[in-house]
Amino acid sequence: VCDFACGSGHFLVECLRYFSKSKIIDLSITNANELNEHKISILKNCIFGVDKDEVTTVLARLMLNIEIMD
């Protein structure tokens, strides 16, 4: 997923939630550490965001990191 106008990252966060839920169903993940590792893997390999405003990209990264910690 690539969002060329990511803004504060709400779309990217929802994509991360969607893909992580599909991983839970497919892989039967029960451990919280395994889930976080899969979220990080999804975030590094499958989710990309671009914006011309640097402040919004920092906010998008913060929201994605909060989603991983949640």
Side-chain angles (χ1 to χ4, degrees), residues 16-33:
L16 179 61
R17 287 179 185 160
Y18 175 79
F19 289 135
S20 64
K21 286 180 184 177
S22 66
K23 288 285 186 182
I24 294 170
I25 294 168
D26 292 343
L27 300 175
S28 300
I29 296 173
T30 57
N31 188 354
N33 290 332

Side-chain angles (χ1 to χ4, degrees), residues 12-54:
L12 298 176
V13 169
E14 288 300 319
C15 289
L16 179 61
R17 287 179 185 160
Y18 175 79
F19 289 135
S20 64
K21 286 180 184 177
S22 66
K23 288 285 186 182
I24 294 170
I25 294 168
D26 292 343
L27 300 175
S28 300
I29 296 173
T30 57
N31 188 354
N33 290 332
E34 290 179 16
L35 178 60
N36 284 343
E37 289 176 16
H38 283 291
K39 283 184 177 182
I40 291 169
S41 175
I42 291 167
L43 186 58
K44 286 182 178 180
N45 299 315
C46 302
I47 295 179
F48 304 95
V50 178
D51 203 301
K52 66 180 183 177
D53 187 6
E54 185 178 348

